[in-house]
Amino acid sequence: MAVSSPPQPPSRPEGGDEDDDNVRVLRPRRAAPADAIRPTRAEINLGHLRHNLRVMERAVGRTGRASSPGIPEIWGVLKADAYGHGAPAVARTLERAGIGGLCVALLEEGLELRAAGITVPILVMGGYYGPHHRGLEEALEGRLTPVLYHAEQIEALARLARDRDAGPLAFHLKFDTGMARLGASRHAADELLGLVSHTQGVAMTGLMSHLACADSSDAEPTLAQLRLFESIVRAAKARGLAPRHCHVANSAGAIAFAASRFDAVRPGIALYGVSPFEAPPTEQIEPIASDLRPVMRVRSEIVALRTVADGERVGYGHTWRAEGERRIATIPMGYADGLSRALSNRGHVVVRGRRAPIVGIVSMDLTTVDVTDIPGAALGDEVVFLGTQDGPLGSAQVTSEEIAKLLGTIPWEVVTSISRRVPRFYREP
Ligand SMILES: Cc1ncc(COP(=O)(O)O)c(C=O)c1O
């Protein structure tokens, strides 16, 4: 397996906060592999990413790239820097693998992908376009499809079409069917669909919603959302509107609810190789969930080793005390890299193919690990914080599910927390 530098965007340097367009676009500088002096890095397995796309394609009944009636397209969710995996490289890989479209949360994220040369349709799901919706112009120039949910936004898009003498400008209309987060109220559906059907210069090419409980063992909340969404789709059709893409499903919905697939599904976490189901999935779903392969692996190396005597204490606050003589390894990864401080005295890492406990407090840049039970542990040994390691003592892993459980959160937060200080290295099997 080769380890390479990430595919670089052809233009626009990363970093800085240039204000070269109307909209100020935040471009945080990521640590680049070329700058990596520390051995701490996130390895992104692009082969696994492609594999997970195929798993999701099979799950929804797709067999090839061509669009066929009744078979949903896959629109991968790449918000938050592709869940921490590095959006440009993830987008390029998925585009080459034939994905139908991509979804981001922010306008800035969509523009970043266009600057990286991505050409597939990109949906901006956050629905926020800045003061007076001026960002809609930016979206248009970036060939991004805005998600709208308010009459004012539709009117702003129509004004833009008039001012530019442009053909109908495409957008997706979002309804809230039970998440109570973003989207027009179902009670406003008639009024809003009426406005859409009478407004010149705009084209509602998509109709969408978002599922709140698709990963739950209780199907009823999802079925209720689907019933509501179907009634909105019918109302749209009754007004002569014909959205090409109706979509509601996240990873869990796409896998578990055939009725949620409509024309497209929007998986995020499953593409990154993590099962969206916390509870053990049903017999039918289990083979899909267990076929997913984690895309991110986070590793570093032992940079210091010491023996501490019985009763000696380790780290800030002296929270850990050696029972007998112990070997303590120091690893250059801390909470500023996304290794939660809440893993202090609780988490594990893998060294030489065997798990070893984190001892003492995780500090900003460094973590201490008890390697007494890892025979042969030496300076320079690889330490895995997330993922699998095969070593002379066997094979062991730390999963994002395990870390999430310890932290009382979800794997989504674990992977998106790996900070931009950690360079991403892209692996091509
Ligand atoms: C609107 C929307 N669609 C799809 C997704 C993808 O969800 P998941 O990562 O659970 O597949 C998200 C993520 O939270 C989302 O906000």
Side-chain angles (χ1 to χ4, degrees):
M1 189 182 271
V3 176
S4 64
S5 291
Q8 291 299 315
S11 59
R12 281 196 170 181
E14 281 188 309
D17 57 353
E18 310 93 288
D19 194 9
D20 48 4
D21 299 311
N22 291 338
V23 163
R24 193 170 189 82
V25 174
L26 179 68
R27 278 170 230 143
R29 188 169 145 59
R30 293 186 194 90
D35 304 334
I37 293 169
R38 254 189 342 167
T40 305
R41 58 172 79 149
E43 294 170 349
I44 308 301
N45 189 318
L46 299 175
H48 285 186
L49 181 66
R50 278 191 296 273
H51 168 85
N52 298 330
L53 174 61
R54 300 290 171 242
V55 171
M56 290 308 291
E57 285 173 345
R58 279 197 298 275
V60 302
R62 280 190 78 77
T63 50
R65 290 186 177 207
S67 53
S68 12
I71 305 291
E73 292 179 13
I74 310 272
W75 286 50
V77 177
L78 271 64
K79 58 185 179 166
D81 200 22
Y83 288 36
H85 293 66
V90 166
R92 249 173 251 134
T93 304
L94 293 174
E95 183 173 73
R96 282 178 201 149
I99 200 156
L102 303 174
C103 307
V104 293
L106 312 183
L107 176 57
E108 300 89 299
E109 293 172 337
L111 293 174
E112 181 191 23
L113 293 181
R114 287 291 183 240
I118 300 303
T119 60
V120 289
I122 298 176
L123 193 62
V124 179
M125 300 192 298
Y128 182 71
Y129 306 97
H132 313 293
H133 318 296
R134 276 204 295 268
L136 282 175
E137 197 161 349
E138 200 71 5
L140 184 66
E141 276 163 19
R143 289 168 292 108
L144 306 172
T145 309
V147 170
L148 309 181
Y149 54 87
H150 197 279
E152 222 182 70
Q153 296 174 315
I154 295 163
E155 282 154 5
L157 192 66
R159 259 196 316 277
L160 196 58
R162 269 200 308 279
D163 293 350
R164 299 198 149 207
D165 205 11
L169 300 181
F171 71 100
H172 289 204
L173 187 61
K174 179 165 184 173
F175 280 96
D176 169 24
T177 56
M179 179 87 167
R181 188 178 72 169
L182 205 66
S185 157
R186 70 191 151 103
H187 303 297
D190 259 352
E191 200 183 325
L192 212 50
L193 292 169
L195 175 73
V196 171
S197 61
H198 291 116
T199 302
Q200 299 289 312
V202 298
M204 188 184 80
T205 56
L207 198 52
M208 67 182 283
S209 189
H210 188 45
L211 299 176
C213 305
D215 58 334
S216 163
S217 52
D218 179 4
E220 190 41 45
T222 303
L223 297 176
Q225 281 197 265
L226 293 177
R227 284 193 292 272
L228 203 47
F229 186 70
E230 275 159 9
S231 73
I232 295 169
V233 173
R234 277 196 303 274
K237 289 188 174 155
R239 286 186 176 273
L241 297 165
R244 161 80 187 78
H245 289 105
C246 293
H247 50 105
V248 298
N250 53 3
S251 300
I255 295 171
F257 290 87
S260 79
R261 293 175 193 152
F262 295 93
D263 307 304
V265 297
R266 305 188 307 263
I269 199 74
L271 289 178
Y272 306 107
V274 179
S275 166
F277 304 102
E278 195 192 348
T282 62
E283 235 172 69
Q284 210 184 355
I285 292 170
E286 206 283 327
I288 300 168
S290 62
D291 199 9
L292 297 170
R293 298 180 186 159
V295 174
M296 186 190 287
R297 180 177 184 270
V298 180
R299 56 86 73 196
S300 187
E301 290 173 12
I302 297 177
V303 294
L305 260 177
R306 74 202 64 241
T307 301
V308 299
D310 181 31
E312 264 193 70
R313 291 175 179 271
V314 169
Y316 282 123
H318 279 180
T319 61
W320 188 82
R321 180 179 179 279
E323 304 276 333
E325 190 178 273
R326 310 299 290 177
R327 286 287 280 165
I328 302 298
T330 304
I331 327 297
M333 174 150 183
Y335 60 77
D337 299 300
L339 182 73
S340 172
R341 191 170 178 278
L343 292 170
S344 302
N345 292 311
R346 301 176 71 205
H348 283 80
V349 301
V350 188
V351 187
R352 292 173 67 76
R354 184 181 288 173
R355 284 162 65 95
I358 292 174
V359 295
I361 293 290
V362 172
S363 49
M364 191 182 290
D365 323 297
L366 297 164
T367 296
T368 38
V369 170
D370 182 354
V371 292
T372 314
D373 299 326
I374 311 288
L379 287 179
D381 276 355
E382 184 188 72
V383 177
V384 168
F385 286 95
L386 175 65
T388 302
Q389 186 195 55
D390 299 318
L393 303 175
S395 177
Q397 62 171 354
V398 176
T399 63
S400 54
E401 289 95 327
E402 169 191 343
I403 297 173
K405 207 162 263 172
L406 278 175
L407 298 177
T409 183
I410 52 174
W412 289 251
E413 188 174 347
V414 173
V415 288
T416 55
S417 294
I418 301 301
S419 77
R420 63 177 194 250
R421 192 164 83 155
V422 178
R424 272 60 172 172
F425 280 65
Y426 293 90
R427 303 180 67 138
E428 269 300 347

